[in-house]
Amino acid sequence: MPDEPLDRRFAGFAWSDDEQSLSAWHRGRTGYPLVDAGMRELWQTGWMHNRVRMIVASFLTKHLLLRWQDGERWFWDTLVDADLANNAAGWQWVAGCGADAAPYSRIFNPVLQGEKFDPDGNYVRRFVPELASLPADAIHQPWTASATVLADAGVRLNQSYPRPMIDHAAARRRALQAFARSRPGNVAEATG
């Protein structure tokens, strides 16, 4: 289970081999504050809330089209509560290739997830301290903040904090096309 998808339609899926993107995800430098907070919490504490686990896994597999096995191995090496079956099954669920998988079209929007589950930005402030001085309405998408707001918070995009490594809408379209080719006939709707 940690190596092969239970849904055999994914056996030949054309995953990316982008080591630079994988490294940015490992280090919490994706440019999406909630994803980065989760990955930094994992590295610092060895733990991550289940909601954030789903969001960072969705980002890896759906935004970056990187192998779920890469994420599964990283979690196995960093989680203090790692469990072989739970870890592999969770990754396959998010990637859409498990026994009882989420629809391949379920692609978490990291900005909307942040606004919904961390509305004041306290989680992001804790694990992404370079964004701590941003107001709540900008903390989940600092690239949309005005130059004044960024300057007042001491944030310099692509210097103190990266811009998003990929646009959510473009990544979503690319993922839906790639996954649809691997799963003919599946027309489930995407969620935010």
Side-chain angles (χ1 to χ4, degrees):
M1 196 159 78
D3 300 314
E4 298 294 327
L6 293 175
D7 184 334
R8 299 309 300 157
R9 291 176 289 184
F10 278 87
F13 188 83
W15 296 105
S16 171
D17 288 321
D18 185 348
E19 290 295 324
Q20 186 174 349
S21 292
L22 181 60
S23 177
W25 180 80
H26 284 161
R27 295 180 298 122
R29 300 284 298 164
T30 69
Y32 284 94
L34 187 63
V35 173
D36 295 341
M39 295 307 292
R40 293 178 190 190
E41 177 186 28
L42 175 60
W43 184 250
Q44 292 170 25
T45 70
W47 190 84
M48 184 191 309
H49 187 279
N50 188 56
R51 168 61 56 175
V52 183
R53 291 181 194 201
M54 290 188 298
I55 294 164
V56 303
S58 176
F59 190 84
L60 182 79
T61 59
K62 308 283 176 78
H63 282 74
L64 302 179
L65 293 180
L66 293 171
R67 287 177 182 79
W68 61 268
Q69 295 97 326
D70 292 336
E72 188 272 335
R73 278 189 292 274
W74 186 253
F75 274 26
W76 180 256
D77 288 344
T78 54
L79 283 170
V80 296
D81 65 347
D83 172 84
L84 183 64
N86 190 35
N87 193 33
W91 275 95
Q92 288 203 38
W93 182 85
V94 171
C97 62
D100 185 23
Y104 76 90
S105 57
R106 176 170 287 158
I107 301 169
F108 288 106
N109 179 325
V111 173
L112 295 179
Q113 292 289 308
E115 291 171 349
K116 183 175 182 178
F117 294 102
D118 185 30
D120 297 324
N122 295 330
Y123 178 72
V124 168
R125 287 178 220 294
R126 179 175 175 197
F127 291 103
V128 188
E130 62 269 36
L131 300 180
S133 296
L134 281 174
D137 64 353
I139 198 151
H140 293 292
Q141 49 186 337
W143 60 93
T144 65
S146 71
T148 303
V149 167
L150 291 171
D152 288 350
V155 176
R156 293 187 323 248
L157 294 176
N158 282 342
Q159 293 177 20
S160 62
Y161 186 74
R163 288 184 181 277
M165 59 192 304
I166 191 164
D167 174 70
H168 169 69
R172 183 180 180 281
R173 281 190 302 274
R174 181 181 74 166
L176 288 174
Q177 291 169 356
F179 281 86
R181 285 191 297 271
S182 289
R183 294 183 59 111
N186 189 337
V187 294
E189 289 300 313
T191 62

